[in-house]
Amino acid sequence: PSIVNGGQTTVVIAKAHMEGADLSQIEVPLKVVKIAIKPEKAASMFEKRISKFANSQNNIKATDQMVNEEPHPMLSELSFDERFSGWSYLHRRGMLATRELDDSENFKEWKAAHPADKQLEATTAAIIWNAWWGEPHIAARGAQKSFQIYHAQLRIMYIRKGWNAELHLKRSFGLYMIYKYVENIVNQRYSGYGSATRPHVIGWFAKLVERKLDLAHVWSTE
């Protein structure tokens, strides 16, 4: 059994319980769906369809659906490996809160080894990669629009034979380091136009170096 919808509700209840709140009078409505489909892959796809269409009455962001499609979960899990020196790729909102509830003791140790300034959210990765690919005007339109383009491109690369997930993470972290450097400068001088300025600076820089800069090497020289 798994929770298809209701992740936020679950986290709120669990945290309240951990904090000692009285939950004896709390009632949560639920709907149980039994999936009798085989093989497992088909059942998993059907589960994602339930999540998508059960949310059609709400203003659910498209990214909340796409982040659960590969390769985002795989990149996230891979990034937790020690080889990435505390850097992490967070593919969905609220995943750290869920991780904390799953294993609060080990999470403290994990959090200490993975500082906030080394946490790259998938939506931010979308902005910086669109800018680097020569589409800063799309990146400047925000995370939602950027993620749709980034997700589509990443899916194409993921399907291709020989795509290296580890290299993509290293390059993403290297690009994020450049982005943070740019962000620091822009915020000091053009804070009111930061969301539009930062992607265009990255795009301009990418053009100057003809996108040949070894981003993985940038990350390795941290």
Side-chain angles (χ1 to χ4, degrees):
S2 64
I3 299 175
V4 179
N5 294 322
Q8 182 178 358
T9 303
T10 306
V11 169
V12 169
I13 292 174
K15 292 194 74 171
H17 173 69
M18 292 171 64
E19 293 169 0
D22 179 13
L23 304 177
S24 61
Q25 301 301 312
I26 298 296
E27 295 183 357
V28 179
L30 59 86
K31 176 175 64 178
V32 178
V33 179
K34 180 179 179 181
I35 303 176
I37 299 177
K38 295 182 178 181
E40 186 177 333
K41 185 176 181 180
S44 176
M45 292 178 64
F46 186 65
E47 180 182 327
K48 289 183 173 63
R49 298 295 189 278
I50 293 175
S51 178
K52 178 179 179 180
F53 292 106
N55 280 313
S56 61
Q57 75 276 18
N58 300 323
N59 183 23
I60 301 298
K61 297 178 181 179
T63 56
D64 290 336
Q65 304 293 336
M66 291 185 287
V67 293
N68 290 319
E69 298 177 8
E70 294 294 1
H72 304 291
M74 180 263 288
L75 288 171
S76 183
E77 190 62 32
L78 177 62
S79 72
F80 295 159
D81 191 276
E82 292 181 357
R83 80 188 83 168
F84 293 103
S85 305
W87 285 83
S88 54
Y89 181 93
L90 307 181
H91 73 287
R92 62 178 176 82
R93 295 186 301 161
M95 64 174 295
L96 293 187
T98 303
R99 192 180 182 94
E100 181 180 10
L101 291 173
D102 287 342
D103 192 348
S104 59
E105 288 301 318
N106 288 328
F107 179 77
K108 294 178 181 178
E109 183 178 341
W110 183 92
K111 190 175 181 180
H114 296 78
D117 59 349
K118 288 187 175 184
Q119 296 172 6
L120 173 59
E121 296 186 358
T123 49
T124 302
I127 291 173
I128 60 180
W129 272 115
N130 276 306
W132 183 262
W133 288 333
E135 304 288 348
H137 59 290
I138 293 178
R141 293 175 65 180
Q144 296 302 308
K145 185 64 178 178
S146 291
F147 194 83
Q148 294 177 39
I149 305 299
Y150 168 67
H151 177 67
Q153 292 295 326
L154 198 58
R155 287 286 293 178
I156 292 172
M157 292 187 287
Y158 171 64
I159 293 170
R160 287 175 180 168
K161 187 177 181 180
W163 180 70
N164 191 319
E166 180 176 340
L167 180 59
H168 178 75
L169 281 174
K170 291 178 179 179
R171 297 186 73 216
S172 297
F173 295 148
L175 184 55
Y176 186 50
M177 288 170 63
I178 296 173
Y179 179 77
K180 295 295 287 184
Y181 181 79
V182 169
E183 183 179 52
N184 184 51
I185 296 174
V186 170
N187 286 352
Q188 290 181 24
R189 302 182 183 181
Y190 315 103
S191 58
Y193 303 93
S195 59
T197 304
R198 291 189 295 270
H200 283 88
V201 171
I202 295 294
W204 169 72
F205 176 67
K207 185 176 181 180
L208 286 180
V209 299
E210 299 179 337
R211 298 177 185 84
K212 295 179 180 179
L213 181 66
D214 187 346
L215 296 173
H217 180 69
V218 171
W219 170 75
S220 69
T221 57
E222 178 194 9

